Every structure is written in structure tokens, then in C-alpha cells.
């Protein structure tokens, strides 16, 4: 099945979307860099990560952030995780992160 077909199935609700929840800390002096790097990271994800659907970045108290990333399948998420920061935009975004707090995977329920 092509990525386009998978995305159409997702849009019509035929698949259960995999959700990646990553909570991390960013030093105050790196916040501008993190936000400046975000568009490049998203562009690289769209170009290089099969099954990538969307990502939302949430600012939390105490220098913490939550990245909510949607994938078509658990395998798409796993393949992305295995690639790591393999492209410049992704590497720049990851470099602005001070520390990882948690990383979880779930299924969108509604």
C-alpha cells in the first residue's frame, strides 16, 4: 500500500493512528533555537519519515515541552525512531533539547 493510500485510510478513519508522546526539557536560553528549528524538523520528517502525519508542540511549565506526533502505523513510528537525527533539520531540533523526560507510544482512541 502506498503512503498516499495509507493517508487516505487514516483520513477516513480506517486505521488506528499511532501517537508518539515525547516530553523533554529545554533550557531557557535554547527556546528560541528550538522554535526556529521546528519548521526544518517538520520538513525533514515529511520528506524522510514514511507514515508521518502530523506533530504538535506543547509548551509546559518548568522548561518542559511535549511533542505529540501522529503516525499511520506503529511500524512507521519504530522506523522513524531507528533513523534518529539523520537529517539537518531534525538534528538541529534535537540539539536544542537539554534532556528527555519520557517517550511513550499509544493509539488514538477518538
Amino acid at each position: 500500500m502506498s503512503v498516499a493510500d495509507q493517508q487516505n485510510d487514516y483520513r477516513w478513519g480506517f486505521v488506528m493512528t499511532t501517537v508518539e508522546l515525547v516530553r523533554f526539557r529545554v533550557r531557557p536560553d535554547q527556546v528560541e533555537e528550538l522554535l526556529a528549528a521546528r519548521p526544518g524538523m517538520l520538513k525533514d520528517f515529511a520528506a524522510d519519515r514514511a507514515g508521518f502525519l502530523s506533530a504538535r508542540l506543547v509548551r509546559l511549565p518548568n522548561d518542559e515541552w511535549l511533542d505529540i506526533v501522529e503516525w499511520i502505523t506503529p511500524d512507521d513510528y519504530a522506523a522513524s525512531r531507528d533513523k534518529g537525527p539523520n537529517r539537518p533539520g531534525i538534528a538541529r531540533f534535537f540539539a536544542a533539547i537539554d534532556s528527555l523526560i519520557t517517550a511513550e507510544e499509544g493509539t488514538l482512541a477518538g
Side-chain angles (χ1 to χ4, degrees):
M1 178 181 286
S2 74
V3 171
D5 288 337
Q6 287 178 327
Q7 288 174 333
N8 283 332
D9 284 351
Y10 158 76
R11 286 187 187 100
W12 289 101
F14 300 138
V15 295
M16 298 293 285
T17 304
T18 298
V19 180
E20 172 188 6
L21 302 163
V22 181
R23 190 175 188 131
F24 54 90
R25 188 166 282 114
V26 176
R27 293 190 326 265
D29 65 323
Q30 287 295 304
V31 169
E32 285 185 34
E33 175 59 18
L34 180 86
L35 296 175
R38 185 67 171 185
M41 188 213 79
L42 294 174
K43 181 180 175 188
D44 282 353
F45 261 44
D48 185 59
R49 310 292 168 130
F52 170 72
L53 294 171
S54 69
R56 290 181 299 260
L57 186 61
V58 180
R59 190 173 194 164
L60 303 168
N62 303 318
D63 302 324
E64 293 182 8
W65 296 75
L66 178 66
D67 208 353
I68 304 168
V69 185
E70 293 184 19
W71 301 95
I72 294 174
T73 70
D75 291 340
D76 295 330
Y77 167 54
S80 174
R81 190 177 55 236
D82 290 344
K83 285 185 174 188
N86 66 324
R87 295 185 63 133
I90 299 167
R92 180 180 175 200
F93 183 82
F94 284 10
I97 295 171
D98 184 48
S99 60
L100 176 67
I101 300 170
T102 61
E104 298 180 76
E105 176 182 350
T107 303
L108 191 62

